[in-house]
């Protein structure tokens, strides 16, 4: 008899939540199929109806925990791409510190090359870097920027996790972000200075815009004259 989809989904979710709790409370070594099955009140073979092996279960745990965390710490993806990049960095750091055992699994070189969760995380970072590049704010190749941010973020979390909470430098993550972004981001384009010079600069720029008609240029010039205090 085929298990009903809603019931199958509930069973799978229960397994993942139990595994996540064991991982959080007792570390990765405690997440065995036998221990998870016992804690979930089921037989061990039931686990294999949903997950091929322990690694597949741990990847499901990673996706579940990270999705729940991000849902609480949503990062906008439609605003200033540089601000979004910084917000994403902060989410990455906070997630790693709040989920030490899981972060250790996601950064384990033996697992990251074949972990869908780790791959998905890198894709999110690539998308954010791509938006920064599209805005003209990247001074290095996209792949180089991704690798620098990934290495810096991972190293920062692991460095902080190696210390007792009371000994951690609360400014380390921000200092590292500033150090990396100084090498990968360009300065924002300068805005025209305030006062009468600003309308003059805008008027000069408008003269070079071929999409404006003569009437539109005249209207813009009139507005800039008023803005700059030039008598009409």
């Amino acid at each position: 008899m085929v298990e009903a989809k809603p019931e199958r989904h509930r069973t799978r979710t229960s397994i993942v939540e139990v595994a996540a709790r064991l991982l959080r409370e007792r570390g990765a070594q405690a997440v065995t199929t036998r221990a998870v099955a016992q804690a979930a009140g089921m037989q061990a073979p039931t686990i294999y109806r949903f997950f091929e092996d322990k690694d597949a279960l741990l990847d499901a745990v990673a996706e579940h925990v990270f999705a729940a965390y991000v849902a609480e710490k949503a990062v906008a993806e439609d605003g200033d791409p540089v601000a979004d990049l910084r917000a994403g960095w902060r989410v990455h750091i906070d997630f790693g510190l709040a989920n030490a055992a899981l972060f250790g699994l996601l950064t384990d070189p033996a697992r990251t090359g074949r972990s869908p969760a780790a791959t998905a995380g890198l894709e999110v970072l690539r998308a954010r870097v791509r938006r920064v590049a599209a805005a003209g704010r990247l001074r290095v190749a996209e792949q180089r920027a991704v690798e620098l941010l990934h290495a810096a973020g991972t190293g920062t979390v692991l460095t902080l996790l190696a210390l007792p909470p009371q000994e951690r430098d609360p400014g380390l993550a921000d200092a590292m972000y500033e150090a990396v972004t100084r090498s990968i981001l360009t300065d924002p384009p300068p805005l025209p200075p305030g006062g009468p010079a600003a309308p003059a600069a805008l008027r000069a720029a408008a003269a070079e815009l071929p999409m404006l008609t003569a009437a539109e240029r005249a209207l813009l010039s009139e507005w800039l004259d008023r803005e700059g205090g030039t008598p009409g």
Side-chain angles (χ1 to χ4, degrees):
M1 179 178 178
V2 178
E3 189 174 8
K5 287 186 178 180
E7 180 61 29
R8 180 175 176 82
H9 177 73
R10 282 193 294 270
T11 303
R12 186 183 189 279
T13 300
S14 176
I15 293 170
V16 170
E17 290 176 346
V18 167
R21 177 169 55 80
L22 288 175
L23 179 64
R24 183 174 60 253
E25 295 176 354
R26 298 165 52 189
Q29 297 304 315
V31 186
T32 64
T33 52
R34 181 182 298 277
V36 172
Q38 183 177 6
M42 59 185 65
Q43 298 296 316
T46 303
I47 306 293
Y48 293 105
R49 288 164 48 195
F50 297 88
F51 304 101
E52 180 180 358
D53 53 25
K54 177 181 174 179
D55 279 344
L57 173 57
L58 289 172
D59 278 325
V61 169
E63 293 168 5
H64 171 77
V65 175
F66 189 70
Y69 186 87
V70 170
E72 296 177 359
K73 309 278 186 180
V75 177
E77 296 293 346
D78 56 357
D80 176 8
V82 174
D84 291 345
L85 185 67
R86 177 183 281 276
W89 168 275
R90 192 69 255 176
V91 167
H92 174 81
I93 299 298
D94 290 346
F95 174 80
L97 296 179
N99 299 273
L102 183 55
F103 191 83
L105 290 174
L106 291 174
T107 56
D108 181 353
R111 299 190 72 256
T112 51
R114 51 193 170 84
S115 167
T119 300
L122 273 176
E123 285 304 315
V124 170
L125 176 58
R126 287 192 182 99
R128 291 191 179 121
V129 169
R130 193 171 301 122
R131 291 185 62 235
V132 173
R137 293 292 310 279
L138 206 60
R139 70 168 72 246
V140 298
E142 289 182 35
Q143 184 60 26
R144 177 74 166 174
V146 169
E147 290 171 351
L148 284 169
L149 286 163
H150 178 64
T154 299
T156 297
V157 173
L158 293 178
T159 297
L160 291 171
L161 288 176
L163 298 170
Q166 67 274 14
E167 295 181 15
R168 295 171 187 169
D169 178 358
L172 179 64
D174 287 341
M176 179 62 77
Y177 181 82
E178 294 297 337
V180 173
T181 53
R182 276 197 298 271
S183 71
I184 68 173
L185 298 181
T186 62
D187 294 330
L191 295 174
L202 289 172
R203 189 185 295 107
E208 304 298 324
L209 298 176
M211 72 287 296
L212 296 180
T213 66
E216 288 169 337
R217 286 195 186 92
L219 183 61
L220 178 59
S221 180
E222 180 183 349
W223 179 83
L224 289 172
D225 284 342
R226 289 202 304 269
E227 183 69 17
T230 303

